[in-house]
Amino acid sequence: MAAVPVEKGVSRALAEYRAENISDVHYSLSFSVPEKVNEPVAFFETLSFRWFGDEDLQIDFQGDPDDLDGVVMVNGKAVDAVVRNEHIIIPKRYLHMGINKIMIGGISSDKALNRHEEFMYTLFVPDHARSAFPCFDQPDLKAYFSLELELPEGWVSMSNDTEYPIPTYLFSFTAGKFQQQTVMRDNRELTAMYRETDPDKVKQLSTVFDQVALSLNWMERYTSVAFPFEKYGFVILPGYQFGGMEHPGCIQFNDTKIFLGPNPSPDEERARLNLIAHETAHLWFGDLVTMKWFDDVWTKEVFANFMADKISREQFPGIDHDLAFIKTHYPVAMSTDRTRGTHPIQQPLDNLDQAGLLYGNIIYHKAPIMMRKLEQEKGADALRKGLRNYLSKYDYSNATWDDLIAELDNFAPEHSARSFSDVWVKQKGMPVISCSRSDSDQVEVIQADPFGRGLVWKQSLDIGFASDGNPLADADRHIYMNQQRVPIDVPISRSTILNYDGEGYGCFVMEDDVIEVLCDGWKNLPEDKNRYAAVLNLYENCLMGRVTPEKLLDTFINFLNHESNELIASTLCSDIAALCRRIDGDYREKVERQLLDMAGSHSLQSVRQALLRQLAVSALSPVVVERLHEVWSRQESSLLNNRDYTRMAYHLAIVQPDRWQQILSVQRDRLKTIDEINEFDFISRACTPDEQVQQQLFDDLLKVENRRVEPWAQTLLALLNDPTREPMSNRYLEPGLNALPEIQATGDIFFPGYWLASLLGGHRSEEAKEIVSSWIATHQSLSPALMNKLLENAYWLLDMGK
Ligand SMILES: [Zn+2]
């Protein structure tokens, strides 16, 4: 066998070689964290492992080679530390079969240490552990960790502290000035660390602990596998770049998702439980059983979401959960799946340094839809039995999606999970489904593959009918789409409403008369799910260019006026917000006035809140802006929380440039914590009307040190590209796109997508379109995953309505 080449990152070939030749890995680590944030963190490590190999050993290290102590101790011998392409090379003559011990000291790169003045936290997923200490940074070399920390005076810490083996991406510690709370729930100790000081927010911890306990109990019941680790601890972090991360023993949460403002919306409450349940479910799916390689990262994400949806069903019994599931996942999954940047749920991955690009809406939202359809295909009982066997067969170890499929197909083999997965999981895109009438008046439902591969996405669909312009309440039926054309029996005088209950996944092409029926006869649709489906399908048909944004806006505003279901209303609000960005002038003014009225009068508080929040960051018409300014300056609406008022201040400062300084200084005085003020001082600079300063801020963002707190950088970039700032802001497009590979190399996993959304989201002009199209045309050598991210985010600028 040829030697494994020494390549940057962690190549699949290297990972496979090491998985075969290394076992029994232990890391004994110490880090000393200095008082000052600009002084480096030093590490010392003893790495021991069993070795069966016959090549030089590559240990992953993505720091500066000069930051290593000059020698590495290998089995007691001093060896020169040779670093090549992000690997420390240990010549094979120093290694022996059996246990080897290597000692290394040096400086950690700050890349994944997330250092702030008063705290720091490590976040190593997917392959960033190697930037902090030398390691085998691959998910299938699980290891035992022991950790010592030397910290500044007054700092506390939390880490995994587990007796079970975990992969490097799940190893973590957080340290700094934090409050702590420990409670007992069901004889289990739960510990929280947090920096929040507002007593109304801190009080919410009790709900959080309850929801953790609920999630743990639920997971134990569903899986029949007891809580797999010794302790449950979590840290609530400001400026956090994810929603959460499932490090066992020290889960991390985003503070804005856990500590809600006064009057949180039902969506925010559900999202919080979903997040807690999601990270808790990962302790089984991801932490106990881990994917072999990051191409299967979606398996842990899909089960975390799948379980979170089930847990949420118990916690919020008053909600229509089938509808909630559709609302949570379908629109978001389709927002990527309809674009040219879509990709299969399972994607190939040659090197872990590209793993971050696998994450996105397809993993987080299409995969749960696929899972639900697989559950319908196989039956809930067979699925659960298969999952239980999978968890006990592979506990504290690794498995692939195909291993899981094999376990599932031990039950109900007549409904093959494998053939289902070959289309839904391994191929990209979604079906385009339409009706056709042949000469014999036979109506058929046809599913077409937009990429011309002739694939069939197996699923059940609900069909409704309309007669004389009205939907018929008693005339819906199921069809099973297991082939490209499925005939249905329908009187010729009736129109067919595809995807009548919204459960169908795909792009449903509505006939013109059906569009009219849905727009006009909407209130006659019999059930909530039928109305929701109408919203989903009409919106998609608008994006296809079959309904104009103006007509759909008028229709949706009318729907919203009469809607009393929170879930439907919430989707209407976000669709209206998206469509509003496509319109201008008098028509926009008319719409904004209508929305402002409804923000004062709608019967649902969640609608009043959603509309006000939306106008607060997007309104352009002078009358509406002036009214919002009053709301802001008197802080008169209890529907808005401090964060909303801050976002509103940014927007007002931009659209009322003659008052920008005054607006910002009032808002700054309202802030209470040092974390809030630091964030504000960073972001609010974008509100300056001075174009030279704006340009300078943009240029600064191109330097990695100015993007250290990614959520801040992303908001700053979005404000610089505010829709009101075209054409000036068009000059950021090219350099912003040129920076993509560097953004990907230096940023966290979601950041390339966020960067693109912030850079492109505010642009609509022909000039912007031209710049982005020609950039795409001249950069075809960009990595396919990165190009997909770009095409996905450029959809509204380049492809909408085509
Ligand atoms: Zn997750």
Side-chain angles (χ1 to χ4, degrees):
M1 193 185 140
V4 178
V6 182
E7 291 172 54
K8 283 193 173 183
V10 182
S11 71
R12 188 160 194 160
L14 175 62
E16 282 173 357
Y17 179 80
R18 289 195 305 211
E20 275 174 29
N21 292 292
I22 291 174
S23 70
D24 300 294
V25 185
H26 289 248
Y27 297 94
S28 170
L29 290 162
S30 64
F31 292 92
S32 51
V33 181
E35 182 90 49
K36 291 207 172 71
V37 73
N38 52 1
E39 287 172 5
V41 170
F43 71 87
F44 189 82
E45 166 182 2
T46 303
L47 162 62
S48 76
F49 58 95
R50 193 177 292 279
W51 173 245
F52 313 96
D54 54 1
E55 291 190 15
D56 294 349
L57 173 67
Q58 299 185 36
I59 305 174
D60 308 327
F61 179 63
Q62 198 191 20
D64 183 341
D66 294 339
D67 283 345
L68 285 180
D69 298 347
V71 290
V72 173
M73 297 299 291
V74 183
N75 296 319
K77 283 205 191 72
V79 175
D80 282 341
V82 176
V83 178
R84 216 158 24 106
N85 280 342
E86 304 176 351
H87 299 282
I88 301 171
I89 313 289
I90 308 290
K92 60 183 171 190
R93 63 178 180 279
Y94 296 104
L95 301 168
H96 47 246
M97 293 291 145
I99 297 291
N100 289 262
K101 192 186 259 190
I102 297 183
M103 298 202 284
I104 313 173
I107 300 291
S108 301
S109 136
D110 278 346
K111 173 174 175 161
L113 301 183
N114 298 283
R115 298 180 65 195
H116 295 245
E117 259 161 42
E118 295 192 339
F119 66 100
M120 63 167 290
Y121 57 92
T122 72
L123 184 49
F124 292 151
V125 66
D127 65 331
H128 299 165
R130 64 196 176 96
S131 71
F133 62 97
C135 58
F136 305 124
D137 210 354
Q138 61 188 77
D140 58 346
L141 277 177
K142 290 194 174 183
Y144 295 89
F145 286 84
S146 68
L147 173 68
E148 273 176 41
L149 292 174
E150 196 185 313
L151 300 173
E153 185 78 25
W155 282 33
V156 293
S157 69
M158 189 186 268
S159 70
N160 304 101
D161 195 17
T162 172
E163 287 158 19
Y164 298 102
I166 53 171
T168 43
Y169 84 89
L170 289 174
F171 168 69
S172 177
F173 63 91
T174 296
K177 294 184 181 163
F178 286 91
Q179 319 290 321
Q180 298 198 58
Q181 243 188 64
T182 298
V183 299
M184 294 300 289
R185 293 281 194 279
D186 311 314
N187 284 324
R188 248 194 289 263
E189 199 175 273
L190 311 176
T191 304
M193 267 186 12
Y194 54 95
R195 286 177 55 78
E196 184 58 60
T197 48
D198 177 348
D200 285 332
K201 288 191 171 164
V202 173
K203 253 193 271 171
Q204 300 173 26
L205 275 177
S206 138
T207 308
V208 173
F209 285 126
D210 288 346
Q211 294 184 343
V212 167
L214 170 100
S215 304
L216 287 169
N217 289 335
W218 196 95
M219 285 302 297
E220 288 191 326
R221 237 182 318 131
Y222 183 89
T223 64
S224 300
V225 174
F227 176 58
F229 298 92
E230 310 88 41
K231 60 161 198 172
Y232 192 108
F234 59 93
V235 192
I236 302 168
L237 293 160
Y240 191 60
Q241 57 269 60
F242 300 176
M245 181 63 207
E246 68 265 20
H247 312 117
C250 54
I251 290 174
Q252 292 167 341
F253 286 121
N254 183 318
D255 67 340
T256 64
K257 305 273 175 8
I258 295 290
F259 293 126
L260 307 181
N263 296 313
S265 71
D267 282 354
E268 288 173 322
E269 298 244 29
R270 266 191 328 114
R272 175 168 68 186
L273 172 64
N274 262 300
L275 174 64
I276 292 168
H278 176 109
E279 302 308 337
T280 305
H282 269 317
L283 295 168
W284 282 259
F285 291 99
D287 297 3
L288 174 65
V289 180
T290 307
M291 65 273 174
K292 271 207 172 87
W293 184 240
F294 266 88
D295 59 343
D296 271 334
V297 64
W298 66 278
T299 52
K300 75 180 178 72
E301 295 312 325
V302 71
F303 283 112
N305 270 350
F306 187 68
M307 299 300 154
D309 285 324
K310 287 183 185 288
I311 291 168
S312 163
R313 262 168 213 263
E314 284 189 17
Q315 187 69 352
F316 297 106
I319 290 180
D320 178 345
H321 284 279
D322 289 335
L323 190 54
F325 181 89
I326 295 174
K327 180 208 146 43
T328 305
H329 298 301
Y330 281 58
V332 193
M334 289 164 72
S335 75
T336 299
D337 224 2
R338 71 168 74 92
T339 71
R340 287 188 282 152
T342 195
H343 55 79
I345 291 175
Q346 188 182 50
Q347 302 178 81
L349 177 67
D350 296 332
N351 193 308
L352 277 191
D353 62 9
Q354 300 289 312
L357 293 171
L358 304 184
Y359 291 81
N361 294 334
I362 296 296
I363 280 188
Y364 284 100
H365 295 284
K366 185 180 181 181
I369 296 170
M370 175 283 293
M371 210 57 226
R372 185 171 151 104
K373 292 194 180 286
L374 180 58
E375 188 180 35
Q376 286 162 358
E377 181 82 12
K378 285 205 82 73
D381 197 45
L383 184 79
R384 181 175 179 169
K385 284 179 181 154
L387 286 176
R388 285 179 171 184
N389 285 359
Y390 160 84
L391 286 175
S392 46
K393 184 167 175 182
Y394 297 103
D395 63 349
Y396 303 105
S397 170
N398 300 78
T400 63
W401 167 248
D402 287 329
D403 293 332
L404 172 59
I405 285 284
E407 291 304 316
L408 294 181
D409 276 344
N410 284 332
F411 302 93
E414 66 282 13
H415 301 288
S416 162
R418 183 167 306 280
S419 71
F420 178 91
S421 148
D422 283 345
V423 175
W424 279 93
V425 173
K426 305 204 171 186
Q427 301 293 337
K428 68 174 174 180
M430 57 181 182
V432 177
I433 298 178
S434 59
C435 263
S436 96
R437 283 162 207 274
S438 62
D439 297 340
S440 57
D441 287 338
Q442 173 68 65
V443 180
E444 288 181 315
V445 179
I446 301 176
Q447 96 162 262
D449 174 355
F451 296 97
R453 299 157 299 183
L455 298 179
V456 173
W457 284 261
K458 271 190 206 166
Q459 61 178 325
S460 292
L461 287 183
D462 212 6
I463 306 282
F465 302 104
S467 189
D468 299 330
N470 260 317
L472 301 181
D474 59 342
D476 64 302
R477 71 188 70 160
H478 278 294
I479 54 169
Y480 182 50
M481 291 297 291
N482 58 348
Q483 49 195 14
Q484 270 167 0
R485 308 174 85 92
V486 176
I488 50 170
D489 178 27
V490 50
I492 191 69
S493 60
R494 293 183 178 177
S495 317
T496 309
I497 307 173
L498 292 165
N499 195 24
Y500 194 51
D501 65 351
E503 291 269 356
Y505 182 74
C507 176
F508 292 88
V509 184
M510 297 289 163
E511 293 171 297
D512 291 340
D513 60 328
V514 172
I515 288 175
E516 292 307 319
V517 167
L518 293 178
C519 288
D520 302 338
W522 181 75
K523 61 178 181 302
N524 301 324
L525 287 166
E527 292 181 44
D528 288 350
K529 64 181 182 185
N530 304 124
R531 290 204 310 288
Y532 191 87
V535 171
L536 200 67
N537 293 327
L538 284 172
Y539 187 68
E540 201 61 28
N541 278 264
C542 174
L543 298 183
M544 279 185 264
R546 299 181 55 79
V547 187
T548 65
E550 289 79 8
K551 177 178 165 89
L552 197 63
L553 257 179
D554 288 342
T555 305
F556 277 7
I557 288 171
N558 178 35
F559 286 6
L560 184 57
N561 249 319
H562 298 97
E563 186 52 69
S564 59
N565 179 303
E566 309 243 19
L567 296 167
I568 304 174
S570 162
T571 292
L572 282 168
C573 288
S574 49
D575 288 352
I576 287 170
L579 293 168
C580 265
R581 287 187 222 115
R582 323 308 302 170
I583 58 167
D584 304 294
D586 291 349
Y587 182 63
R588 178 152 181 156
E589 171 152 1
K590 184 193 99 176
V591 169
E592 285 184 355
R593 280 165 180 262
Q594 283 176 311
L595 296 179
L596 187 65
D597 284 347
M598 225 192 292
S601 65
H602 199 281
S603 63
L604 292 174
Q605 174 179 295
S606 61
V607 169
R608 299 198 301 276
Q609 183 178 47
L611 293 176
L612 197 55
R613 279 180 170 168
Q614 172 198 327
L615 289 168
V617 297
S618 68
L620 295 181
S621 354
V623 201
V624 175
V625 169
E626 198 44 54
R627 175 70 195 109
L628 290 168
H629 190 110
E630 280 166 35
V631 172
W632 170 81
S633 63
R634 296 189 208 137
Q635 289 185 282
E636 71 181 38
S637 175
S638 62
L639 295 173
L640 302 180
N641 60 39
N642 293 341
R643 266 183 181 273
D644 294 320
Y645 281 113
T646 299
R647 284 192 209 108
M648 197 169 182
Y650 298 149
H651 179 68
L652 290 171
I654 288 175
V655 294
Q656 299 189 309
D658 45 333
R659 297 199 242 178
W660 74 284
Q661 276 168 316
Q662 182 244 339
I663 293 171
L664 294 183
S665 92
V666 170
Q667 189 61 30
R668 192 179 192 279
D669 286 344
R670 292 170 173 175
L671 302 176
K672 294 189 191 87
T673 69
I674 184 71
D675 294 333
E676 284 173 329
I677 292 171
N678 286 341
E679 176 177 353
F680 184 86
D681 288 346
F682 185 91
I683 294 170
S684 61
R685 298 174 302 160
C687 302
T688 172
D690 183 330
E691 297 193 343
Q692 265 176 336
V693 180
Q694 291 175 27
Q695 177 75 52
Q696 189 55 50
L697 287 168
F698 175 79
D699 294 342
D700 287 347
L701 275 181
L702 297 178
K703 299 184 197 110
V704 61
E705 65 268 25
N706 297 313
R707 304 190 297 260
R708 285 197 348 178
V709 184
E710 293 179 352
W712 299 359
Q714 161 197 335
T715 309
L716 182 74
L717 182 64
L719 293 175
L720 291 173
N721 286 281
D722 186 86
T724 58
R725 289 179 164 175
E726 277 196 324
M728 150 75 191
S729 59
N730 287 338
R731 69 177 77 156
Y732 307 141
L733 289 169
E734 201 179 330
L737 293 173
N738 289 339
L740 267 184
E742 211 245 344
I743 294 287
Q744 190 259 322
T746 56
D748 227 314
I749 54 179
F750 299 111
F751 196 53
Y754 291 154
W755 175 267
L756 285 163
S758 296
L759 181 71
L760 303 178
H763 291 274
R764 275 178 62 200
S765 65
E766 283 302 317
E767 187 196 352
K769 209 168 175 169
E770 185 53 45
I771 295 170
V772 176
S773 311
S774 77
W775 196 92
I776 290 171
T778 51
H779 289 78
Q780 290 297 312
S781 59
L782 196 68
S783 89
L786 207 46
M787 182 58 90
N788 279 342
K789 284 271 173 260
L790 170 55
L791 290 171
E792 174 188 344
N793 283 285
Y795 170 82
W796 285 86
L797 183 62
L798 303 182
D799 301 319
M800 185 241 172
K802 280 187 186 156

